[in-house]
Amino acid sequence: MRRAGPALADALVLLALAAYAVPFFWQLLTSLKPEAELLRLPPLLPSRLTLEHYRVVLAQSLIPQALWNSLGIAALTTLLALALGLPAAYALARLAVPGTRALLLVIVASTAFPQIATVSPLYLLLRALALRDTWTGLVLVHASFALPLTIWLLAGFIREIPIETDEAAAVDGAGWLAAVRWVLLPLLAPGLASAALLTFLFSWNEFLFAYTFTASEASRTIPVALALFPGVYEVPWGDIAAASMLASLPPVLIVVGLQRFLVSGLLAGAVKD
Amino acid sequence: MPRPRRPAARAILLLAATLALAGCADGPARETPVTLVLKYARILGPDDPFPPLLREFEAAHPGVRVRGEALPWSSDEQHQFYVINLEGRSPGFDVMMLDVIWVPEFARAGWLLDLTPHLAADELAPFFPSTVEAATYARRIWALPWNMNVGLLYYRRDLLAKYALAPPETWDELVRQVGVIRAGERDATLDGYLFQGKQYEGMVVNVLEVFWAGGTRLLAEDGALFPEPERAAEALAFLRGLIERGVSPPWTTAADEELSRRAFGDGHAIFLRNWPYALDLFEAADSPVRGRVDIAPLPRRAGGARGAGSTGGAHLGVSRGSRHPELAVMLARFLTSERAEKRMALAALSPTRTALYDDPDLVRRRPALPRIRALMLAGRPRPVTPYYLLLSATLQPEFSAALAGVKPARRAIADGRARLDHFLGALR
Amino acid sequence: MTARPRADRRLGLALLAPTLAALGVLTVFPGVWVLWLSLQHRVPIFGVARFAGLDNYAFLAVDPRFWSAALTTALFTVASVALELALGLGVALALARQRRGRRLALSLLLLAWAMPAVVTAKLFEWLYHPAAGLINVALGGRALNWLGDPRLALAAVVLADVWRAMPFVALLCYARLLAIPAELYEAAQVDGAGRLATLGRITLPLLARILLLALLFRTLAALRAFDIMFVLTGGGPAGATETLTVYAYRSLFQMLQLGFGAALGVVVFVLVMAVAWAYLRLGRAAAPAG
């Protein structure tokens, strides 16, 4: 009886968490339910599964284009944030830059800037630069928003690597940049992965800026496309459910497949005080 | 001091390349062939009449492609989309579907191409006069009427006949009839009168209609707001009263066109206020209320007029930033031609050309068309002013608060007026 | 590493320059510009752009809709943060005792957190459907008007937000719990302490710091929350779910009052900064004791 106890508790916890995720699974089920059965409950389970909603969404709606936009913008945002953030993190963590603490404080403070405050000036700025409804505009805004957290994360990860490692590489005759490239970066790889995943996820999920700065299929991202899902008077619940599932694909893949990096990134960002 | 510069330089080049690529990824359409972009509210599913029409236009104009792009589905969101877009430089579309209430605003903002020089002398004669009026600002024409709507009363012919009742002429009569029928039917799930009470533009339409039914209005000729505030408050309180007394169900405050239409179409209500599109859905083969629904003018209140439904609908405008204005105007004229409007009418969109309401093919498909035309001729437009959206956006929360019982109607009107005075004052 | 301080400094500044430039132009500059905007009457559609001093703020001070939005924001923040912390702690405690299936447990938990807020809003919009929504069905077929009843709508939005954010709090607490050395528990057991006493005397005090951190993060996030209420209810019905952010957004892009909307944005900005500052002060005050 005692040995069965813990296993039972484990199973119960898993069951409870599965119940917690029911909203997600219900949406998944809805996306596979035939149109006629959507609004008639009970029965909860459909008589048969159908891919009709996915067909409509992929063939007739603007979701595929939005998925492509989101993918491109999130990828470019991640690249840009890392390209800018890694050198900055290295400088702050390793080099004796004057005012490091003040800089870090400013950088962290800027993460608290509410989007609703900066959205109107950014709107005017992007309009002046003719960057509205472009990938570039949104990538720049997203990257600048993700930058502080990226720097914070990477600086923390870099600090974890003992300075002796760099110095050992330098002693071996390698230059500073070679030491970074061949010694530091491989050690930093998990941290880079975490930062990259968090940035990608942020950009994929971001709504307020995307809603304001995109206007057409040229740059509309998936959260915006989902929020504006068209229908003349009717609300196509099944199609919306299918679109929701498609929009959740990368996040789900990251959570299930790359969980380790995601978790370490989240924790490092918070726990390292 | 010397550091190997190559890796850093390479990284910078790579970054620059990716950004440049991003810039190219969303570049403008190639100049040849010419592509026109039409923004409209797309109908998902097999009934969309527009793709064939666009292909027809392409066939008639070789070298021109027309790309139809969908708008978001609620009027407010469409407006926001346009504003955010048109405020910038080239908006990226040529012809756009405009809710009739936006035309003066967009004209005033300089976003629309003045169509007056492109139109023949009496080209607009076949259209409903109110639609032409709505397209006129500063005595120029800024859009072409495309499809039309008018608010009307749907009722269950079978239920009224059962109790020997004629369609109500006054609101008091409607309330009385609801009482009689419900008492007789003894069906707890039967609602009385369904309307749109959700916080959005459609709700403002409902409120305005009750204003007009009671002989008051939102905007006077001289631009004064709420010229008869007592009457307005009383009309708004009347709508709230319908919900309080149970004539309208409590979920009315979340109801838009679709929610109310479905409930009526499932047979759960006696009266419904909605647009003409619903009639086709009620007469569909699998509709539970098929053959049992009829339309009538909206009732009036003491001191008001009967049948003052709000007119609505969509116009087609040409963007002033269009790179192919001549072609865009031709597309707009094609889509509002008699042929195109007839095709659209077969897909349950009401045309703006009065003659089509007598067309035998159409009347056969939709027998109620002549009566709908009469209702449209009797209908009233919402205030035709560039400030209409500001008015609506400011009043929506106030009206909604009154309908939900959160605020007394009188205070809602007063608060609305105070806010509007502030915002309109900021504009002068 | 102090061998070449000046060269290091030059290199450091060179490495920092692009970042500082980006942040300066895209974050700091707008942060200042919004203050300037808030002092204007600016309505692009009608070509209005003139200085107005504190006119916008004066109107806000007596604007019932502003105070209603502030109250809604406060209620939303308090309710969702409290629920997130309580639930998150509970889930973390349960997870820490988990022997098998941790990865599966975390996957199920993080699903809710990882997807876009818009997807969460659509999920819950469907769950809250009066006729076909799972929630009403689960409640025995009562047709509660979740998103249309002003009394229920805020609770509905809070629920959706808690569902989405709780996993983050749970994860934080869970990680901290894992770091508590087992010897502490063993010693307590030897001393004969019961489960509840262990919880109160050992676990919670060690979790205090992480809970405060979670409190800070979630409070700041709740004050700035926008996506969920905007997509789920649009601020309705009757403004019951209109937070300051939604009010600001509507003023900016629905009513096109850029100056007025900027003033609202500044208010949110100040609020967020005040909370962050208060937390820092609290943290510094508690530090000597912790």
Side-chain angles (χ1 to χ4, degrees):
Chain A
M1 196 53 177
R2 272 204 68 187
R3 264 190 299 151
L8 189 63
D10 280 4
L12 281 177
V13 167
L14 282 177
L15 210 62
L17 287 176
Y20 192 77
V22 154
F24 178 77
F25 294 123
W26 180 242
Q27 193 77 326
L28 181 60
L29 189 64
T30 303
S31 72
L32 298 168
K33 246 191 197 184
E35 180 73 38
E37 298 181 22
L38 277 177
L39 290 170
R40 289 191 211 132
L41 287 186
L44 291 177
L45 294 177
S47 60
R48 60 182 174 89
L49 295 179
T50 172
L51 289 176
E52 179 62 19
H53 297 302
Y54 287 96
R55 197 195 61 77
V56 168
V57 166
L58 288 173
Q60 288 185 29
S61 77
L62 304 163
I63 298 286
Q65 180 66 24
L67 284 170
W68 170 240
N69 288 335
S70 272
L71 197 63
I73 289 174
L76 288 173
T77 300
T78 307
L79 277 176
L80 186 58
L82 285 180
L84 290 178
L86 183 56
Y90 180 79
L92 289 172
R94 282 283 194 259
L95 304 173
V97 177
T100 300
R101 281 195 59 200
L103 269 175
L104 273 174
L105 198 61
V106 166
I107 287 176
V108 169
S110 65
T111 59
F113 275 38
Q115 285 180 302
I116 193 67
T118 51
V119 68
S120 44
L122 282 174
Y123 172 74
L124 292 173
L125 184 64
L126 287 186
R127 190 170 67 125
L129 295 174
L131 283 178
R132 279 197 46 254
D133 206 24
T134 63
W135 279 25
T136 317
L138 202 54
V139 167
L140 286 173
V141 170
H142 278 184
S144 78
F145 214 74
L147 206 49
L149 188 64
T150 309
I151 296 176
W152 184 250
L153 272 181
L154 289 176
F157 281 123
I158 291 179
R159 280 210 209 92
E160 274 191 344
I161 300 171
I163 228 172
E164 291 77 28
T165 322
D166 293 22
E167 290 174 348
V171 158
D172 281 348
W176 156 83
L177 207 49
V180 166
R181 190 161 157 208
W182 299 113
V183 176
L184 192 61
L185 277 185
L187 286 173
L188 202 50
L192 279 173
S194 300
L197 280 181
L198 281 178
T199 307
F200 187 88
L201 211 53
F202 157 74
S203 177
W204 183 272
N205 292 353
E206 201 278 326
F207 177 70
L208 199 157
F209 286 149
Y211 188 66
T212 313
F213 301 143
T214 67
S216 72
E217 287 80 42
S219 65
R220 194 180 294 154
T221 58
I222 191 73
V224 181
L226 193 56
L228 297 178
F229 202 80
V232 182
Y233 290 108
E234 310 225 331
V235 181
W237 292 109
D239 299 340
I240 289 180
S244 306
M245 287 297 113
L246 290 173
S248 310
L249 216 51
V252 167
L253 286 173
I254 291 178
V255 161
V256 171
L258 296 167
Q259 198 182 100
R260 186 162 65 96
F261 300 108
L262 179 67
V263 168
S264 76
L266 278 177
L267 295 178
V271 176
K272 288 204 177 12
D273 226 310
Chain B
M1 293 336 163
R3 301 267 177 271
R5 286 190 164 283
R6 270 183 296 132
R10 252 196 293 158
I12 293 174
L13 275 177
L14 182 64
L15 187 61
T18 45
L19 277 179
L21 201 65
C24 289
D26 53 38
R30 306 283 169 271
E31 283 305 288
T32 52
V34 168
T35 303
L36 290 178
V37 178
L38 163 74
K39 303 264 348 163
Y40 68 102
R42 203 193 298 231
I43 309 172
L44 278 182
D47 268 5
D48 195 348
F50 298 117
L53 282 174
L54 298 182
R55 302 290 88 77
E56 212 178 292
F57 183 83
E58 285 176 347
H61 296 83
V64 177
R65 286 211 57 234
V66 183
R67 201 168 75 216
E69 289 179 356
L71 283 170
W73 74 292
S74 91
S75 175
D76 295 319
E77 282 165 351
Q78 290 168 3
H79 178 259
Q80 189 167 317
F81 162 83
Y82 276 135
V83 163
I84 291 182
N85 229 293
L86 292 164
E87 256 297 285
R89 308 284 164 84
S90 46
F93 43 82
D94 304 281
V95 181
M96 44 190 170
M97 177 181 117
L98 301 168
D99 194 326
V100 71
I101 49 181
W102 307 333
V103 179
E105 178 189 5
F106 285 23
R108 160 103 184 247
W111 296 335
L112 296 176
L113 188 69
D114 183 357
L115 296 178
T116 327
H118 298 266
L119 299 174
D122 54 356
E123 187 162 338
L124 295 177
F127 295 96
F128 282 100
S130 66
T131 62
V132 179
E133 198 186 304
T136 311
Y137 177 73
R139 280 187 285 231
R140 321 279 301 170
I141 305 286
W142 301 92
L144 295 177
W146 201 28
N147 59 62
M148 188 148 176
N149 264 328
V150 68
L152 43 83
L153 184 72
Y154 288 90
Y155 66 95
R156 286 281 298 279
R157 187 167 49 202
D158 56 329
L159 287 175
L160 261 67
K162 188 167 167 185
Y163 296 87
L165 297 168
E169 287 215 8
T170 67
W171 279 101
D172 290 332
E173 175 67 19
L174 184 144
V175 174
R176 189 191 74 83
Q177 288 187 1
V178 167
V180 164
I181 296 178
R182 275 162 119 185
E185 293 297 297
R186 261 175 278 221
D187 179 356
T189 66
L190 188 66
D191 289 317
Y193 170 68
L194 299 180
F195 65 100
Q196 294 83 48
K198 183 177 169 186
Q199 185 172 326
Y200 76 130
E201 169 63 22
M203 181 259 300
V204 176
V205 168
N206 277 258
V207 173
L208 287 179
E209 283 170 349
V210 178
F211 280 1
W212 298 335
T216 178
R217 56 244 149 100
L218 173 61
L219 213 56
E221 282 83 16
D222 60 354
L225 291 162
F226 291 114
E228 300 102 15
E230 290 296 319
R231 280 228 192 126
E234 200 256 327
L236 189 56
F238 171 76
L239 265 186
R240 166 65 191 160
L242 290 178
I243 303 178
E244 263 174 4
R245 287 185 284 174
V247 176
S248 302
W251 53 262
T252 305
T253 50
D256 57 4
E257 282 91 355
E258 263 309 277
L259 216 57
S260 48
R261 171 193 73 81
R262 276 188 190 277
F264 185 84
D266 286 343
H268 294 315
I270 309 169
F271 294 103
L272 164 73
R273 180 257 165 229
N274 212 317
W275 308 102
Y277 84 99
L279 189 57
D280 279 43
L281 291 161
F282 296 148
E283 295 301 322
D286 58 349
S287 162
V289 294
R290 183 179 156 88
R292 300 193 274 162
V293 172
D294 211 344
I295 58 176
L298 288 169
R300 64 176 173 81
R301 307 191 63 228
R306 189 182 182 200
S310 167
T311 56
H315 282 38
L316 278 181
V318 173
S319 156
R320 205 155 97 172
S322 166
R323 268 174 287 208
H324 315 284
E326 302 289 333
L327 274 172
V329 175
M330 280 204 273
L331 179 61
R333 288 166 92 184
F334 169 75
L335 287 171
T336 55
S337 66
E338 192 161 335
R339 277 207 52 203
E341 287 214 359
K342 182 165 171 177
R343 284 286 274 294
M344 284 162 42
L346 289 169
L349 291 166
S350 300
T352 44
R353 289 176 175 269
T354 52
L356 282 173
Y357 287 79
D358 293 320
D359 184 292
D361 299 319
L362 289 180
V363 174
R364 204 172 344 146
R365 269 285 278 277
R366 302 166 68 189
L369 269 183
R371 280 192 298 148
I372 293 179
R373 177 177 58 187
L375 287 169
M376 285 181 180
L377 288 169
R380 266 174 86 148
R382 282 159 278 179
V384 180
T385 158
Y387 303 119
Y388 180 74
L389 264 299
L390 181 62
L391 294 175
S392 173
T394 311
L395 290 174
Q396 277 176 29
E398 304 298 338
F399 289 166
S400 177
L403 283 181
V406 168
K407 239 188 215 189
R410 178 163 294 143
R411 194 148 64 85
I413 302 280
D415 283 350
R417 204 162 162 197
R419 300 181 61 82
L420 279 174
D421 282 336
H422 174 88
F423 287 121
L424 287 173
L427 290 176
R428 303 210 187 101
Chain C
M1 213 47 175
T2 56
R4 300 174 299 254
R6 228 167 8 131
D8 273 0
R9 200 153 14 119
R10 274 218 311 266
L11 176 64
L13 286 174
L15 290 177
L16 275 172
T19 296
L20 292 178
L23 284 179
V25 171
L26 294 167
T27 308
V28 176
F29 176 50
V32 175
W33 193 357
V34 72
L35 281 170
W36 172 235
L37 265 182
S38 73
L39 299 174
Q40 297 178 9
H41 281 309
R42 186 122 176 209
V43 188
I45 270 196
F46 296 106
V48 172
R50 63 170 196 274
F51 184 70
L54 294 174
D55 203 22
N56 289 323
Y57 292 103
F59 181 72
L60 278 182
V62 296
D63 178 13
R65 192 169 167 191
F66 167 71
W67 291 109
S68 164
L71 180 64
T72 307
T73 307
L75 285 175
F76 172 78
T77 303
V78 168
S80 49
V81 174
L83 283 172
E84 285 158 18
L85 285 182
L87 274 177
L89 183 60
V91 169
L93 287 171
L95 266 183
R97 298 165 65 87
Q98 192 85 343
R99 242 162 278 254
R100 304 268 218 48
R102 279 209 181 152
R103 223 185 110 167
L104 179 60
L106 276 181
S107 295
L108 287 171
L109 193 60
L110 287 176
L111 267 184
W113 172 85
M115 62 185 102
V118 177
V119 170
T120 309
K122 288 298 180 188
L123 241 68
F124 274 84
E125 194 181 358
W126 181 229
L127 286 173
Y128 287 137
H129 195 275
L134 198 57
I135 293 189
N136 276 350
V137 168
L139 289 176
R142 297 177 57 197
L144 283 176
N145 187 10
W146 288 100
L147 299 178
D149 189 337
R151 294 164 301 173
L152 293 175
L154 191 57
V157 170
V158 167
L159 190 67
D161 192 68
V162 169
W163 183 82
R164 179 157 194 269
M166 184 278 273
F168 177 70
V169 177
L171 192 64
L172 281 186
C173 296
Y174 170 64
R176 186 74 185 89
L177 281 172
L178 285 184
I180 296 179
E183 299 86 50
L184 278 177
Y185 289 117
E186 285 164 14
Q189 230 177 354
V190 161
D191 285 348
R195 284 262 293 272
L196 221 52
T198 318
L199 188 66
R201 291 280 173 79
I202 300 184
T203 318
L204 281 182
L206 285 174
L207 278 179
R209 241 174 114 232
I210 202 83
L211 280 175
L212 271 178
L213 194 67
L215 178 70
L216 173 71
F217 278 155
R218 290 310 315 160
T219 306
L220 291 185
L223 286 173
R224 298 180 285 176
F226 174 76
D227 305 4
I228 282 208
M229 50 279 284
F230 188 72
V231 177
L232 196 54
T233 59
T241 58
E242 188 176 70
T243 54
L244 288 171
T245 45
V246 173
Y247 185 20
Y249 196 84
R250 285 194 173 284
S251 303
L252 284 172
F253 297 113
Q254 197 191 25
M255 300 207 298
L256 304 161
Q257 305 275 342
L258 286 190
F260 184 69
L264 280 165
V266 168
V267 170
V268 175
F269 199 158
V270 166
L271 203 55
V272 164
M273 287 307 181
V275 168
W277 180 80
Y279 171 83
L280 282 175
R281 287 294 298 269
L282 256 176
R284 225 173 295 152

